[in-house]
Amino acid sequence: MTTVAPELTTRSSIRPDSFLRLSSILSPIGPLPISRSSWWLKVRRGEFPQPIKLGPRTTAWRGKDIIDLIERLENGGN
């Protein structure tokens, strides 16, 4: 089970209309304490949101999708 850092899960810390790079989603900077390999495994399995390709070497996630994921994890979802 993934735990969420409570001090960083407020709606004010992530804007729904933003795009977030993986480094600002995962610990130590971001709110989700999960490794990169575990993150990508859960993305492939459909448990975590799908990324958006912004360029040939730039991948990001919608802020709204990350907020929804955090809320789902806080409520005991997968």
Side-chain angles (χ1 to χ4, degrees):
M1 180 172 136
T2 304
T3 58
V4 179
E7 67 277 3
L8 296 175
T9 60
T10 63
R11 288 185 182 265
S12 62
S13 65
I14 300 174
R15 292 184 41 204
D17 60 343
S18 66
F19 287 98
L20 302 169
R21 300 291 304 272
L22 192 55
S23 61
S24 53
I25 297 171
L26 304 181
S27 287
I29 297 170
L32 297 175
I34 186 171
S35 70
R36 293 175 80 84
S37 57
S38 294
W39 172 267
W40 281 109
L41 177 66
K42 290 180 180 279
V43 168
R44 278 192 301 279
R45 289 181 178 170
E47 297 174 34
F48 286 176
Q50 294 297 308
I52 306 295
K53 289 295 282 182
L54 300 177
R57 294 174 43 130
T58 306
T59 302
W61 283 261
R62 290 181 185 95
K64 181 183 180 341
D65 292 343
I66 300 305
I67 291 169
D68 292 346
L69 172 65
I70 291 170
E71 288 175 354
R72 189 178 80 217
L73 293 172
E74 284 178 337
N75 292 327
N78 289 334

